PDB file of all heavy atoms in Angstrom:
ATOM      1  N   GLU A   8       7.080   3.684  -7.876  1.00 94.00           N
ATOM      2  CA  GLU A   8       6.203   4.656  -7.234  1.00 94.00           C
ATOM      3  C   GLU A   8       5.015   3.964  -6.589  1.00 94.00           C
ATOM      4  O   GLU A   8       4.069   4.614  -6.169  1.00 94.00           O
ATOM      5  CB  GLU A   8       5.727   5.660  -8.277  1.00 94.00           C
ATOM      6  CG  GLU A   8       6.852   6.476  -8.873  1.00 94.00           C
ATOM      7  CD  GLU A   8       6.394   7.410  -9.978  1.00 94.00           C
ATOM      8  OE1 GLU A   8       5.182   7.672 -10.094  1.00 94.00           O
ATOM      9  OE2 GLU A   8       7.252   7.868 -10.722  1.00 94.00           O
ATOM     10  N   PHE A   9       5.078   2.636  -6.525  1.00 96.00           N
ATOM     11  CA  PHE A   9       3.964   1.849  -6.010  1.00 96.00           C
ATOM     12  C   PHE A   9       4.433   0.862  -4.947  1.00 96.00           C
ATOM     13  O   PHE A   9       5.579   0.444  -4.944  1.00 96.00           O
ATOM     14  CB  PHE A   9       3.304   1.055  -7.144  1.00 96.00           C
ATOM     15  CG  PHE A   9       2.718   1.927  -8.208  1.00 96.00           C
ATOM     16  CD1 PHE A   9       3.464   2.296  -9.308  1.00 96.00           C
ATOM     17  CD2 PHE A   9       1.419   2.391  -8.102  1.00 96.00           C
ATOM     18  CE1 PHE A   9       2.935   3.108 -10.298  1.00 96.00           C
ATOM     19  CE2 PHE A   9       0.875   3.203  -9.071  1.00 96.00           C
ATOM     20  CZ  PHE A   9       1.628   3.566 -10.175  1.00 96.00           C
ATOM     21  N   TYR A  10       3.495   0.502  -4.072  1.00 97.00           N
ATOM     22  CA  TYR A  10       3.712  -0.556  -3.093  1.00 97.00           C
ATOM     23  C   TYR A  10       2.806  -1.729  -3.431  1.00 97.00           C
ATOM     24  O   TYR A  10       1.726  -1.545  -3.984  1.00 97.00           O
ATOM     25  CB  TYR A  10       3.316  -0.099  -1.691  1.00 97.00           C
ATOM     26  CG  TYR A  10       4.246   0.893  -1.040  1.00 97.00           C
ATOM     27  CD1 TYR A  10       3.749   2.076  -0.520  1.00 97.00           C
ATOM     28  CD2 TYR A  10       5.606   0.628  -0.890  1.00 97.00           C
ATOM     29  CE1 TYR A  10       4.576   2.984   0.109  1.00 97.00           C
ATOM     30  CE2 TYR A  10       6.440   1.530  -0.256  1.00 97.00           C
ATOM     31  CZ  TYR A  10       5.926   2.703   0.248  1.00 97.00           C
ATOM     32  OH  TYR A  10       6.748   3.593   0.873  1.00 97.00           O
ATOM     33  N   SER A  11       3.240  -2.901  -3.035  1.00 97.00           N
ATOM     34  CA  SER A  11       2.364  -4.068  -3.068  1.00 97.00           C
ATOM     35  C   SER A  11       1.710  -4.182  -1.689  1.00 97.00           C
ATOM     36  O   SER A  11       2.115  -3.501  -0.734  1.00 97.00           O
ATOM     37  CB  SER A  11       3.167  -5.335  -3.360  1.00 97.00           C
ATOM     38  OG  SER A  11       4.034  -5.632  -2.271  1.00 97.00           O
ATOM     39  N   ILE A  12       0.728  -5.038  -1.590  1.00 97.00           N
ATOM     40  CA  ILE A  12       0.104  -5.275  -0.281  1.00 97.00           C
ATOM     41  C   ILE A  12       1.145  -5.824   0.691  1.00 97.00           C
ATOM     42  O   ILE A  12       1.185  -5.440   1.857  1.00 97.00           O
ATOM     43  CB  ILE A  12      -1.102  -6.214  -0.424  1.00 97.00           C
ATOM     44  CG1 ILE A  12      -2.219  -5.495  -1.180  1.00 97.00           C
ATOM     45  CG2 ILE A  12      -1.590  -6.685   0.952  1.00 97.00           C
ATOM     46  CD1 ILE A  12      -3.430  -6.346  -1.494  1.00 97.00           C
ATOM     47  N   ILE A  15       3.296  -3.017   2.134  1.00 97.00           N
ATOM     48  CA  ILE A  15       2.609  -2.238   3.174  1.00 97.00           C
ATOM     49  C   ILE A  15       2.491  -3.033   4.459  1.00 97.00           C
ATOM     50  O   ILE A  15       2.661  -2.490   5.549  1.00 97.00           O
ATOM     51  CB  ILE A  15       1.239  -1.752   2.662  1.00 97.00           C
ATOM     52  CG1 ILE A  15       1.479  -0.700   1.574  1.00 97.00           C
ATOM     53  CG2 ILE A  15       0.394  -1.184   3.808  1.00 97.00           C
ATOM     54  CD1 ILE A  15       0.236  -0.193   0.912  1.00 97.00           C
ATOM     55  N   VAL A  26      -4.045  -5.832   5.672  1.00 97.00           N
ATOM     56  CA  VAL A  26      -3.908  -4.840   4.603  1.00 97.00           C
ATOM     57  C   VAL A  26      -4.808  -5.207   3.434  1.00 97.00           C
ATOM     58  O   VAL A  26      -5.506  -4.343   2.885  1.00 97.00           O
ATOM     59  CB  VAL A  26      -2.437  -4.704   4.148  1.00 97.00           C
ATOM     60  CG1 VAL A  26      -2.314  -3.710   3.006  1.00 97.00           C
ATOM     61  CG2 VAL A  26      -1.553  -4.303   5.318  1.00 97.00           C
ATOM     62  N   VAL A  30      -7.757  -2.896   1.710  1.00 96.00           N
ATOM     63  CA  VAL A  30      -7.723  -2.574   0.286  1.00 96.00           C
ATOM     64  C   VAL A  30      -9.030  -3.008  -0.381  1.00 96.00           C
ATOM     65  O   VAL A  30      -9.627  -2.249  -1.144  1.00 96.00           O
ATOM     66  CB  VAL A  30      -6.500  -3.226  -0.398  1.00 96.00           C
ATOM     67  CG1 VAL A  30      -6.630  -3.196  -1.905  1.00 96.00           C
ATOM     68  CG2 VAL A  30      -5.220  -2.519   0.043  1.00 96.00           C
ATOM     69  N   ILE A  35      -8.038   1.695   1.814  1.00 95.00           N
ATOM     70  CA  ILE A  35      -6.755   2.112   1.264  1.00 95.00           C
ATOM     71  C   ILE A  35      -6.918   2.153  -0.254  1.00 95.00           C
ATOM     72  O   ILE A  35      -7.235   1.130  -0.864  1.00 95.00           O
ATOM     73  CB  ILE A  35      -5.621   1.133   1.646  1.00 95.00           C
ATOM     74  CG1 ILE A  35      -5.447   1.066   3.169  1.00 95.00           C
ATOM     75  CG2 ILE A  35      -4.306   1.569   0.985  1.00 95.00           C
ATOM     76  CD1 ILE A  35      -4.428   0.037   3.630  1.00 95.00           C
ATOM     77  N   PRO A  36      -6.748   3.324  -0.872  1.00 95.00           N
ATOM     78  CA  PRO A  36      -6.901   3.429  -2.331  1.00 95.00           C
ATOM     79  C   PRO A  36      -5.898   2.527  -3.045  1.00 95.00           C
ATOM     80  O   PRO A  36      -4.739   2.437  -2.633  1.00 95.00           O
ATOM     81  CB  PRO A  36      -6.610   4.899  -2.630  1.00 95.00           C
ATOM     82  CG  PRO A  36      -6.579   5.603  -1.330  1.00 95.00           C
ATOM     83  CD  PRO A  36      -6.358   4.588  -0.262  1.00 95.00           C
ATOM     84  N   SER A  37      -6.351   1.866  -4.106  1.00 96.00           N
ATOM     85  CA  SER A  37      -5.466   0.938  -4.809  1.00 96.00           C
ATOM     86  C   SER A  37      -5.808   0.866  -6.292  1.00 96.00           C
ATOM     87  O   SER A  37      -6.854   1.348  -6.727  1.00 96.00           O
ATOM     88  CB  SER A  37      -5.581  -0.454  -4.191  1.00 96.00           C
ATOM     89  OG  SER A  37      -6.890  -0.949  -4.377  1.00 96.00           O
ATOM     90  N   LEU A  38      -4.907   0.251  -7.032  1.00 95.00           N
ATOM     91  CA  LEU A  38      -5.108  -0.017  -8.454  1.00 95.00           C
ATOM     92  C   LEU A  38      -5.130  -1.527  -8.627  1.00 95.00           C
ATOM     93  O   LEU A  38      -4.179  -2.207  -8.231  1.00 95.00           O
ATOM     94  CB  LEU A  38      -3.951   0.555  -9.277  1.00 95.00           C
ATOM     95  CG  LEU A  38      -3.689   2.047  -9.122  1.00 95.00           C
ATOM     96  CD1 LEU A  38      -2.355   2.402  -9.754  1.00 95.00           C
ATOM     97  CD2 LEU A  38      -4.808   2.830  -9.753  1.00 95.00           C
ATOM     98  N   ILE A  45      -2.451  -6.197  -7.373  1.00 96.00           N
ATOM     99  CA  ILE A  45      -2.949  -4.956  -6.785  1.00 96.00           C
ATOM    100  C   ILE A  45      -1.736  -4.117  -6.393  1.00 96.00           C
ATOM    101  O   ILE A  45      -0.793  -4.617  -5.787  1.00 96.00           O
ATOM    102  CB  ILE A  45      -3.818  -5.234  -5.539  1.00 96.00           C
ATOM    103  CG1 ILE A  45      -5.034  -6.075  -5.913  1.00 96.00           C
ATOM    104  CG2 ILE A  45      -4.225  -3.925  -4.863  1.00 96.00           C
ATOM    105  CD1 ILE A  45      -5.832  -6.568  -4.726  1.00 96.00           C
ATOM    106  N   ARG A  46      -1.789  -2.840  -6.727  1.00 97.00           N
ATOM    107  CA  ARG A  46      -0.714  -1.921  -6.352  1.00 97.00           C
ATOM    108  C   ARG A  46      -1.328  -0.677  -5.724  1.00 97.00           C
ATOM    109  O   ARG A  46      -2.428  -0.255  -6.068  1.00 97.00           O
ATOM    110  CB  ARG A  46       0.123  -1.508  -7.564  1.00 97.00           C
ATOM    111  CG  ARG A  46       0.945  -2.633  -8.135  1.00 97.00           C
ATOM    112  CD  ARG A  46       2.040  -3.043  -7.150  1.00 97.00           C
ATOM    113  NE  ARG A  46       2.844  -4.126  -7.646  1.00 97.00           N
ATOM    114  CZ  ARG A  46       2.699  -5.405  -7.304  1.00 97.00           C
ATOM    115  NH1 ARG A  46       1.754  -5.757  -6.462  1.00 97.00           N
ATOM    116  NH2 ARG A  46       3.503  -6.329  -7.783  1.00 97.00           N
ATOM    117  N   ILE A  47      -0.566  -0.092  -4.796  1.00 97.00           N
ATOM    118  CA  ILE A  47      -0.997   1.105  -4.086  1.00 97.00           C
ATOM    119  C   ILE A  47       0.045   2.190  -4.357  1.00 97.00           C
ATOM    120  O   ILE A  47       1.246   1.976  -4.142  1.00 97.00           O
ATOM    121  CB  ILE A  47      -1.105   0.841  -2.565  1.00 97.00           C
ATOM    122  CG1 ILE A  47      -2.171  -0.228  -2.280  1.00 97.00           C
ATOM    123  CG2 ILE A  47      -1.446   2.108  -1.819  1.00 97.00           C
ATOM    124  CD1 ILE A  47      -1.654  -1.604  -2.127  1.00 97.00           C
ATOM    125  N   LYS A  48      -0.418   3.352  -4.840  1.00 96.00           N
ATOM    126  CA  LYS A  48       0.512   4.462  -5.060  1.00 96.00           C
ATOM    127  C   LYS A  48       1.108   4.872  -3.722  1.00 96.00           C
ATOM    128  O   LYS A  48       0.407   4.972  -2.721  1.00 96.00           O
ATOM    129  CB  LYS A  48      -0.215   5.675  -5.646  1.00 96.00           C
ATOM    130  CG  LYS A  48      -0.604   5.556  -7.070  1.00 96.00           C
ATOM    131  CD  LYS A  48      -1.233   6.878  -7.500  1.00 96.00           C
ATOM    132  CE  LYS A  48      -1.776   6.819  -8.891  1.00 96.00           C
ATOM    133  NZ  LYS A  48      -2.406   8.107  -9.255  1.00 96.00           N
ATOM    134  N   LYS A  49       2.406   5.144  -3.727  1.00 96.00           N
ATOM    135  CA  LYS A  49       3.069   5.557  -2.492  1.00 96.00           C
ATOM    136  C   LYS A  49       2.428   6.818  -1.924  1.00 96.00           C
ATOM    137  O   LYS A  49       2.227   6.926  -0.711  1.00 96.00           O
ATOM    138  CB  LYS A  49       4.561   5.773  -2.729  1.00 96.00           C
ATOM    139  CG  LYS A  49       5.319   4.481  -2.909  1.00 96.00           C
ATOM    140  CD  LYS A  49       6.807   4.721  -3.050  1.00 96.00           C
ATOM    141  CE  LYS A  49       7.542   3.397  -3.153  1.00 96.00           C
ATOM    142  NZ  LYS A  49       8.998   3.556  -3.207  1.00 96.00           N
ATOM    143  N   THR A  50       2.070   7.761  -2.800  1.00 96.00           N
ATOM    144  CA  THR A  50       1.462   9.009  -2.317  1.00 96.00           C
ATOM    145  C   THR A  50       0.088   8.749  -1.695  1.00 96.00           C
ATOM    146  O   THR A  50      -0.262   9.375  -0.697  1.00 96.00           O
ATOM    147  CB  THR A  50       1.347  10.034  -3.456  1.00 96.00           C
ATOM    148  OG1 THR A  50       0.652   9.437  -4.562  1.00 96.00           O
ATOM    149  CG2 THR A  50       2.721  10.511  -3.912  1.00 96.00           C
ATOM    150  N   ASP A  51      -0.697   7.825  -2.276  1.00 96.00           N
ATOM    151  CA  ASP A  51      -2.007   7.485  -1.710  1.00 96.00           C
ATOM    152  C   ASP A  51      -1.851   6.819  -0.348  1.00 96.00           C
ATOM    153  O   ASP A  51      -2.587   7.113   0.591  1.00 96.00           O
ATOM    154  CB  ASP A  51      -2.791   6.553  -2.637  1.00 96.00           C
ATOM    155  CG  ASP A  51      -3.314   7.247  -3.878  1.00 96.00           C
ATOM    156  OD1 ASP A  51      -3.330   8.509  -3.894  1.00 96.00           O
ATOM    157  OD2 ASP A  51      -3.713   6.544  -4.824  1.00 96.00           O
ATOM    158  N   PHE A  52      -0.873   5.932  -0.238  1.00 96.00           N
ATOM    159  CA  PHE A  52      -0.634   5.257   1.037  1.00 96.00           C
ATOM    160  C   PHE A  52      -0.212   6.264   2.101  1.00 96.00           C
ATOM    161  O   PHE A  52      -0.712   6.241   3.228  1.00 96.00           O
ATOM    162  CB  PHE A  52       0.426   4.167   0.885  1.00 96.00           C
ATOM    163  CG  PHE A  52       0.850   3.576   2.197  1.00 96.00           C
ATOM    164  CD1 PHE A  52      -0.036   2.822   2.960  1.00 96.00           C
ATOM    165  CD2 PHE A  52       2.126   3.789   2.687  1.00 96.00           C
ATOM    166  CE1 PHE A  52       0.345   2.284   4.184  1.00 96.00           C
ATOM    167  CE2 PHE A  52       2.519   3.257   3.907  1.00 96.00           C
ATOM    168  CZ  PHE A  52       1.628   2.504   4.651  1.00 96.00           C
ATOM    169  N   GLU A  53       0.701   7.174   1.745  1.00 95.00           N
ATOM    170  CA  GLU A  53       1.165   8.172   2.705  1.00 95.00           C
ATOM    171  C   GLU A  53       0.027   9.072   3.162  1.00 95.00           C
ATOM    172  O   GLU A  53      -0.079   9.392   4.351  1.00 95.00           O
ATOM    173  CB  GLU A  53       2.309   8.984   2.102  1.00 95.00           C
ATOM    174  CG  GLU A  53       3.575   8.167   1.921  1.00 95.00           C
ATOM    175  CD  GLU A  53       4.579   8.796   0.973  1.00 95.00           C
ATOM    176  OE1 GLU A  53       4.324   9.898   0.446  1.00 95.00           O
ATOM    177  OE2 GLU A  53       5.631   8.166   0.758  1.00 95.00           O
TER     178      GLU A  53
END
Side-chain angles (χ1 to χ4, degrees):
E8 297 176 17
F9 298 91
Y10 287 128
S11 67
I12 291 175
I15 291 176
V26 178
V30 166
I35 299 175
S37 64
L38 303 168
I45 299 171
R46 291 292 179 260
I47 297 96
K48 286 183 185 179
K49 287 184 177 184
T50 54
D51 288 345
F52 172 67
E53 291 163 1

